[in-house]
Amino acid sequence: MKSMTGYAKRQIAVGNKKFSIEIKTLNSKQLDLIVKLPSCLREKELDIRSMLGALERGKIEAVLTLENSDSAAATLNTNLASMRLDEVAQLAVATGYPMKQEDVFTAIVSQPAVWENASSEELSESESEQLMSGVREAIQETDKFRSDEGMVLRKDFDKHVAEIEQRLERIPQYESERIETAKERIRRYFSEFALAEMDKDRFEQELIYYLEKLDITEEKVRLRKHIDFFRKTMDEEPICGKKLGFIAQEMGREINTTGSKANHVEIQRLVVEMKDELEKIKEQLGNIL
């Protein structure tokens, strides 16, 4: 079982270039990819998106950044810088805006566009493969983060499911009392109609009918089966968030029916507590892959 929350960050040196690879994932009903790349990697965007598809589902943001740490490799594009200086000088004359020559010069040479850096060139085939290998490793690290988070959520689910199961096992101790209460209610029913003598057969028929309406045996059996299925799914299926959501809905249906048939204050209290534990499970199911 995996969480949809994941994170990985790696740095990789490729030739004279240094790249930072950062991947974040959050919960989402569908696969929602956001990929941000430097210009030298634009042609690799489809490949990177395809690789990120291995994360299956969630809002996934992958940011690759080119870190230019080698300033000696940068050279000034003098033609472009001169052209920009002329353009700014013409603008100053046309607008009458006062500009100091040294300020204009500083502003022009501060622009990244006028500097040519070897790091901004396209990657060679071997460099490209090296970088893509780094991306794959970051994706694997993200997937491991998700698995670790999934184990934490699994323990939380186990705790809440056990609480529901505990309360389910406590229901039978109150059921014999429910039967006696039903019998007494039917006796009062006959008494209120001032029947001189109680027809035993009629009494038993009424009792059977009443108890059948209140019988929760099937609900208890189905709820136990849903609990077992919930655990089995967590054990056997790494991608199970949607399926667990469907099972939780079925668990809720049986718990609600049990409550509507309970007709006993202690059973109803147990039902409320089971609902509370189930809601805690549902709150976290949106984070499961």
Side-chain angles (χ1 to χ4, degrees), residues 136-249:
R136 279 191 289 270
E137 290 174 0
I139 292 172
Q140 291 169 0
E141 188 177 334
T142 305
D143 191 55
K144 184 179 183 304
F145 190 108
R146 284 177 149 193
S147 295
D148 293 342
E149 286 291 304
M151 291 301 295
V152 174
L153 291 174
R154 165 66 193 267
K155 291 178 182 178
D156 190 57
F157 288 155
D158 279 335
K159 182 183 71 173
H160 295 309
V161 169
E163 292 290 341
I164 293 173
E165 193 173 41
Q166 265 184 21
R167 285 157 178 79
L168 178 61
E169 296 302 325
R170 287 162 56 187
I171 288 177
Q173 65 182 301
Y174 302 111
E175 291 193 273
S176 59
E177 186 177 336
R178 287 172 75 230
I179 294 174
E180 292 304 318
T181 302
K183 287 180 179 179
E184 182 59 32
R185 186 168 298 168
I186 295 172
R187 286 192 185 98
R188 286 201 304 269
Y189 167 79
F190 278 93
S191 176
E192 286 173 3
F193 281 89
L195 298 175
E197 293 183 5
M198 184 182 297
D199 187 321
K200 185 177 180 181
D201 291 337
R202 176 66 185 280
F203 175 76
E204 289 179 353
Q205 289 173 2
E206 290 289 337
L207 181 60
I208 290 170
Y209 173 77
Y210 192 72
L211 292 180
E212 283 179 348
K213 288 184 63 178
L214 297 180
D215 183 57
I216 54 175
T217 302
E218 290 185 8
E219 285 76 11
K220 292 187 298 179
V221 170
R222 286 195 293 263
L223 181 54
R224 287 192 186 95
K225 288 182 177 179
H226 294 328
I227 289 172
D228 291 341
F229 191 28
F230 193 94
R231 287 174 171 151
K232 182 180 179 182
T233 301
M234 289 194 295
D235 287 337
E236 298 179 356
E237 301 184 26
I239 301 173
C240 58
K242 290 183 179 179
K243 190 170 183 178
L244 291 178
F246 295 142
I247 299 171
Q249 287 179 1

Side-chain angles (χ1 to χ4, degrees), residues 93-144:
V93 171
T95 60
Y97 189 84
M99 292 186 183
K100 294 182 180 179
Q101 188 174 358
E102 58 270 24
D103 292 340
V104 174
F105 183 82
T106 300
I108 296 299
V109 298
S110 298
Q111 294 179 3
V114 302
W115 292 92
E116 295 176 344
N117 195 302
S119 296
S120 64
E121 298 173 356
E122 297 296 324
L123 300 180
S124 68
E125 186 176 344
S126 62
E127 289 174 337
S128 177
E129 180 54 39
Q130 187 180 352
L131 179 61
M132 297 299 275
S133 178
V135 173
R136 279 191 289 270
E137 290 174 0
I139 292 172
Q140 291 169 0
E141 188 177 334
T142 305
D143 191 55
K144 184 179 183 304

Side-chain angles (χ1 to χ4, degrees), residues 46-87:
L46 288 178
D47 293 335
I48 292 173
R49 284 180 174 273
S50 178
M51 293 164 63
L52 289 168
L55 294 174
E56 299 288 345
R57 190 161 60 96
K59 183 176 181 180
I60 301 169
E61 181 177 2
V63 180
L64 276 71
T65 307
L66 175 61
E67 300 178 359
N68 294 328
S69 58
D70 188 4
S71 59
T75 57
L76 180 66
N77 185 331
T78 54
N79 291 333
L80 179 59
S82 296
M83 185 175 66
R84 293 287 169 84
L85 282 169
D86 290 342
E87 289 172 350

